[in-house]
Amino acid sequence: MTDYVQEQEMEIEALEAILMDEFKEIHSSESGLNTSNRCFQITISPQEEDEEFTQSSVRLALIFSHTEKYPDEPPLLNVSSLKGIHSGDLKILKEKLEQEAVENLGMAMIYTLVSSAKDWLSERFAQETDEGVEDDEAKKEEVIVPHGEAVTIETFLAWRERFEAELALERAKLMPDAALSVSKEKKLTGRQWFESGRASGKAAAATAEESDEDVDDIDFDDDDFEEDEEEDMLEHYLAEKTDSSSHS
């Protein structure tokens, strides 16, 4: 005849020695089990070698009570979350442990169920961690490509025309005053020229010649910079377009 009480006491002593602080006796009213017998709680965390859970991100309690004819009949079992486990997962785990208890009838099985719960916990939440890591990596790999206005021949020529006008204006600002006054002087009539005190032929010729030389010195022909500065103009245009795109 099997001495169930003795077998149950021996199992409890073994569990206390193996699990130490993770094993404790609790009152039946705290167990969630429909029994007045002794009840015990075992704290379970994922496998220690799982680096993802070094901070015990999830933890559960396996609660059990021996029935009268245990281990020839399954123990009463319950599971509860101590940290980070949803009720749906707890239900799945409880059904799994109850099935394994039936498969292990005839021998002490509590430590076997503890190991199974620990493995399930590691696999279940390691999967979630892997998915989270993959999502984070996918976000890091996302590259935001700025979209500016496409450079075409028409837009470049339009910009070039504007650039040349700005360049001519800048050069005009640097022209000497004598050159700027030439056009006004040429508008004088002969009489006005004579009455202005500059009627001397030599002086007038010299003045006109100097004025012509000053004007000739200022040449706005495109050939001065088309070949030498075309590449710089293109770089300047692209930089300008990039700035305008970033502000928009």
Side-chain angles (χ1 to χ4, degrees), residues 6-244:
Q6 183 178 4
E7 286 195 18
Q8 294 168 13
E9 289 294 337
M10 290 177 60
E11 183 178 40
I12 292 172
E13 291 178 5
L15 292 172
E16 288 176 329
I18 296 171
L19 301 174
M20 302 177 67
D21 294 339
E22 296 176 349
F23 181 89
K24 68 177 181 179
E25 184 172 358
I26 61 175
H27 194 274
S28 59
S29 61
E30 302 175 64
S31 66
L33 300 174
N34 186 20
T35 183
S36 58
N37 294 338
R38 298 175 67 189
C39 297
F40 303 91
Q41 175 179 301
I42 301 172
T43 301
I44 300 176
S45 299
Q47 295 288 357
E48 295 178 358
E49 59 268 21
D50 292 343
E51 296 180 358
E52 296 90 342
F53 304 105
T54 53
Q55 301 300 322
S56 298
S57 57
V58 291
R59 191 165 62 252
L60 65 82
L62 171 60
I63 301 168
F64 74 92
S65 177
H66 289 138
T67 55
E68 182 180 355
K69 295 182 179 181
Y70 173 88
D72 287 339
E73 62 184 16
L76 299 177
L77 298 173
N78 192 21
V79 290
S80 64
S81 173
L82 298 179
K83 184 177 181 182
I85 305 176
H86 298 296
S87 58
D89 292 326
L90 293 174
K91 181 179 179 181
I92 294 173
L93 176 59
K94 183 178 179 181
E95 292 175 354
K96 171 183 171 61
L97 296 178
E98 288 175 343
Q99 179 61 35
E100 291 185 6
V102 173
E103 295 172 357
N104 286 276
L105 289 176
M107 60 181 182
M109 66 183 76
I110 298 301
Y111 189 76
T112 299
L113 299 180
V114 170
S115 298
S116 179
K118 188 181 289 287
D119 291 341
W120 177 88
L121 197 60
S122 298
E123 293 175 3
R124 173 66 179 83
F125 290 93
Q127 182 180 2
E128 281 193 357
T129 302
D130 292 341
E131 291 175 354
V133 171
E134 290 177 359
D135 291 341
D136 292 341
E137 291 178 352
K139 291 179 181 179
K140 291 179 181 179
E141 291 176 357
E142 290 180 357
V143 178
I144 301 176
V145 180
H147 297 283
E149 182 180 348
V151 180
T152 64
I153 295 177
E154 290 77 11
T155 58
F156 175 72
L157 292 177
W159 171 85
R160 177 179 172 180
E161 181 179 352
R162 181 163 56 87
F163 178 78
E164 291 174 355
E166 293 176 356
L167 185 60
L169 180 61
E170 291 298 324
R171 289 185 174 182
K173 292 179 180 179
L174 300 177
M175 290 173 60
D177 294 338
L180 294 175
S181 63
V182 169
S183 58
K184 296 180 179 179
E185 293 178 351
K186 284 186 176 181
K187 294 180 181 178
L188 296 176
T189 64
R191 182 174 181 178
Q192 290 173 333
W193 182 265
F194 179 80
E195 290 177 351
S196 67
R198 290 175 285 181
S200 172
K202 293 182 180 180
T207 302
E209 183 179 354
E210 291 176 358
S211 299
D212 290 339
E213 290 176 357
D214 290 338
V215 173
D216 291 340
D217 288 342
I218 303 171
D219 187 1
F220 299 106
D221 192 351
D222 293 343
D223 294 338
D224 287 344
F225 58 91
E226 282 185 353
E227 296 180 356
D228 297 335
E229 300 182 5
E230 186 170 358
E231 183 175 354
D232 293 339
M233 290 163 53
L234 179 57
E235 293 179 356
H236 178 78
Y237 173 74
L238 293 175
E240 183 179 276
K241 299 304 289 183
T242 302
D243 291 340
S244 62

